[in-house]
Amino acid sequence: MKQFYFKFEKKTFFTLFLGMFLLMVTQGMYATGTFTTTTAGGNWSDASTWEGGVVPPAVTKSDDIIIINGDVTLTLNAANTVMTTVNTPNRYTFTIGSVTIAEGKTLNVTSLDGAQAIPYYFTIGSSSVPSAINGNLNFDASIWGGKLINTVTVSVTGSIIESKLISLSTTANSTLTNYGTITTGTLAPSSTAAKIENYGTINYTGFSSTTTAITTNYAGGFVINTGVSGGTFAGNFKNYGTYTAAGLTGTAATANFYNYSTGVLNFSAGSMSATNLNLYVSYPGNTVNYNFAGSQTIKLPADGSYSNITFSNSGTKTIPTATSATLCTGTLRIIDAAKAGITNTNVGVAILNLGGSVQLDNTYGGASSTAVVKNSTYFTFAGSLNVQNSLGVSQFLANEVKLYPNPSVGGKFSISLPFMQEVSKVSILNVAGKTVYTNSFAAGETFDVNPNVALARGVYFVKIEQAEKSTTKKLIIN
C-alpha cells in the first residue's frame, strides 16, 4: 500500500508539472521569447508563418527576439498597435524587440488604412540583443516612420527602405551601423548619444539632428542627399568617404562637419553660407566639389582653408575669402562651364587647374580684374587669384604622378596623371641614360604604356613631359 502511494504521488507530481509548463507556454510566457519564421514565410498573423505555430503577441515586448527566415508581410492596424500621445498628432505604434532578417529575405511592413490622419510607426529595439538587417526591411508609403530605439546596435548588411522617416530615438547609446543600403525620407538621430556609422550607401532627402549626435561616413561609404535643403545638423558629421548633398545647415553653434583626408564632399545644390555650420576641410588630401548647375556661394572653412576644391558643372561659384587670404593649400580645379567669382585680390591657392591643365605661378582673374592673366572663361568679378605653388609645378607632378603596376612584368604599365589633360610625351631610359622607348599620348588622365621593344629585367627611369613641366619616376621591370 505504501509502495502504491509513492508511485501515485510521483506520477501526480509529474503530471501537474507538465500541465503547469504547458499552461505557461500557451498563456503567453514570452517576456523574453524568441519567435522564428519558417523559410516559407507568409503573413505575420498566420500561425503557419511561425515555427511551432506560435504567432508573436499582438503587441510584443521590447525584449522579444524576432528572427525572419522567410519573406514576411506585417500589416499594421488599430488592433495590433498601441495608440500613443508622445507626439502631435497622436500615433499608432507597433513595437517589437530585437529583429534579425536573414540574408535575401524581406520583412514588408504595410497598412490597410494608412491614409487615416493618425500615422503608424514601426519600432524595433532591445536593451540586450542587437538587431541585424541582413536581408531587407521595407516600409510602404502608408507607414509614417521606422523608429530604431535599439540601445545596443542595429546593423544593416542588406537594405532598409522607408519613404518618410528613420530615426534613432532618445534612448541613450543607440547605434545604427550600415554596410548595405538605407533609403529614407528623413534620417534623424535624435539622441545625444546616438550614432550612425556608414560603410555602405545611405540615400535620404533630409537629415535632421537636433542634438550632438555623431554620424560617421567611413572610407568607401556613400551618403547621398537629394533634398532641396540638405541636412540639418546640431552634432558632428565625420566624413571619410563620399558625401553628396544639396546643402548643409547648422542648427546650433555645435554643428560640425569634418571632411577628413580621404573624404569627398559634393555640394550639388544651393549655397553653403549657413552661419551655424562649422566646416572643417583643411585635412590634407580631402576634396570639396561645388558642382551645382548654377550659382553657389562658397562656405568659409572653420579651420582656415580648403585642401582641394573643385568648381564644376555651371554657374558662378562666389569666393568671399578676404584679400591675401589662402583659399586652398592644394589644388583649385575649375572645369566645365563653372566660373570662380572672386570678390577680393590676391586670394591664395597653391595649384590652379583650369579645364584640366595645371597653370604656372601668376595672378589670375576675369577681364575686369588687375590680374596678370585675364581669363573670362573661368573667372568673373574684379578680384584675383595669386597662384604660389611653393613646391613648383615639376615637384607637384613628382608627387602626383603614379606608375602601376610597379614592378612591371614585361614592361607594360600605366601612368596616372590626376587632372592633367594635355598631350604628354613619355620616355623610358635605362640606367645608362639611354632612351629605349618614347611615345606621345593624347589628352587624358591615364595612359597605358606598352613598349614595342623588349626590355630586359632591371631598373629604368620613366620621364613624363607636359608643356613646360616634367618629372621622372623609377620603374622596375621583372
Side-chain angles (χ1 to χ4, degrees):
M1 185 75 178
K2 186 175 182 181
Q3 186 178 11
F4 171 79
Y5 176 77
F6 177 71
K7 288 181 177 180
F8 174 80
E9 194 171 44
K10 283 176 63 179
K11 183 177 180 180
T12 302
F13 175 80
F14 176 79
T15 302
L16 290 172
F17 175 82
L18 180 60
M20 291 177 64
F21 174 79
L22 293 174
L23 181 64
M24 291 170 69
V25 170
T26 57
Q27 292 301 312
M29 181 181 148
Y30 70 97
T32 57
T34 298
F35 301 90
T36 304
T37 72
T38 64
T39 56
N43 290 319
W44 182 285
S45 59
D46 293 345
S48 60
T49 301
W50 302 91
E51 292 183 357
V54 179
V55 179
V59 181
T60 62
K61 304 292 185 180
S62 61
D63 49 3
D64 282 336
I65 299 174
I66 308 295
I67 301 174
I68 307 296
N69 285 333
D71 293 335
V72 175
T73 298
L74 168 60
T75 303
L76 304 185
N77 53 57
N80 65 8
T81 55
V82 173
M83 187 175 183
T84 63
T85 57
V86 175
N87 292 346
T88 303
N90 296 336
R91 69 186 186 193
Y92 286 113
T93 300
F94 186 94
T95 301
I96 57 178
S98 167
V99 176
T100 297
I101 302 178
E103 183 178 356
K105 304 304 178 181
T106 301
L107 172 58
N108 292 301
V109 183
T110 185
S111 171
L112 293 178
D113 52 352
Q116 63 185 27
I118 301 177
Y120 285 111
Y121 282 76
F122 176 84
T123 299
I124 66 174
S126 168
S127 61
S128 58
V129 182
S131 291
I133 313 301
N134 301 320
N136 308 302
L137 175 57
N138 296 340
F139 300 83
D140 73 8
S142 68
I143 306 301
W144 181 257
K147 200 169 186 65
L148 311 177
I149 63 168
N150 192 292
T151 57
V152 183
T153 60
V154 177
S155 65
V156 181
T157 58
S159 69
I160 298 179
I161 299 177
E162 213 300 319
S163 61
K164 297 185 179 69
L165 171 71
I166 293 178
S167 66
L168 278 74
S169 79
T170 54
T171 304
N173 301 318
S174 297
T175 301
L176 171 62
T177 303
N178 177 50
Y179 297 90
T181 302
I182 296 177
T183 303
T184 184
T186 299
L187 188 62
S190 55
S191 166
T192 299
K195 295 180 181 179
I196 297 176
E197 298 177 341
N198 181 53
Y199 299 85
T201 300
I202 298 178
N203 299 280
Y204 62 81
T205 56
F207 187 97
S208 178
S209 171
T210 57
T211 70
T212 55
I214 298 175
T215 302
T216 305
N217 183 40
Y218 288 97
F222 291 87
V223 178
I224 304 168
N225 169 248
T226 57
V228 175
S229 61
T232 301
F233 294 89
N236 298 300
F237 197 109
K238 300 178 179 181
N239 183 47
Y240 299 84
T242 300
Y243 184 105
T244 300
L248 295 173
T249 302
T251 59
T254 56
N256 302 306
F257 191 104
Y258 299 89
N259 200 44
Y260 290 108
S261 294
T262 56
V264 176
L265 177 56
N266 300 308
F267 291 115
S268 57
S271 70
M272 267 297 298
S273 57
T275 56
N276 282 334
L277 181 69
N278 302 310
L279 188 64
Y280 294 88
V281 290
S282 67
Y283 301 96
N286 89 86
T287 299
V288 178
N289 299 320
Y290 287 85
N291 56 359
F292 175 52
S295 298
Q296 291 177 284
T297 300
I298 307 309
K299 173 74 175 178
L300 296 181
D303 50 351
S305 61
Y306 288 84
S307 176
N308 300 299
I309 184 170
T310 297
F311 301 156
S312 63
N313 207 328
S314 63
T316 298
K317 318 303 180 184
T318 302
I319 303 172
T321 302
T323 295
S324 299
T326 299
L327 173 66
C328 69
T329 57
T331 299
L332 168 60
R333 185 188 187 203
I334 309 174
I335 59 174
D336 304 329
K339 291 186 177 184
I342 311 169
T343 57
N344 291 298
T345 58
N346 293 320
V347 174
V349 299
I351 300 163
L352 177 64
N353 185 303
L354 300 179
S357 298
V358 173
Q359 307 300 304
L360 299 176
D361 288 2
N362 218 320
T363 56
Y364 294 78
S368 62
S369 72
T370 58
V372 173
V373 180
K374 294 178 171 57
N375 185 321
S376 58
T377 300
Y378 294 108
F379 298 98
T380 187
F381 302 161
S384 62
L385 289 182
N386 184 16
V387 180
Q388 292 288 340
N389 179 13
S390 60
L391 293 176
V393 175
S394 293
Q395 183 62 45
F396 167 68
L397 279 173
N399 291 344
E400 295 298 316
V401 170
K402 301 290 187 286
L403 304 184
Y404 61 93
N406 190 8
S408 165
V409 178
K412 297 180 181 180
F413 62 95
S414 296
I415 302 174
S416 174
L417 299 166
F419 307 150
M420 311 293 180
Q421 297 179 357
E422 309 167 37
V423 173
S424 297
K425 180 181 178 181
V426 176
S427 303
I428 301 177
L429 297 80
N430 61 21
V431 291
K434 180 182 178 180
T435 300
V436 296
Y437 169 84
T438 185
N439 198 4
S440 294
F441 293 86
E445 295 186 3
T446 301
F447 307 101
D448 295 322
V449 180
N450 186 8
N452 53 8
V453 294
L455 298 177
R457 293 183 179 182
V459 176
Y460 293 83
F461 296 94
V462 179
K463 185 177 182 180
I464 300 104
E465 300 174 80
Q466 290 185 307
E468 296 116 345
K469 306 176 289 293
S470 68
T471 189
T472 301
K473 311 289 284 187
K474 184 168 73 172
L475 174 69
I476 298 174
I477 296 180
N478 288 335

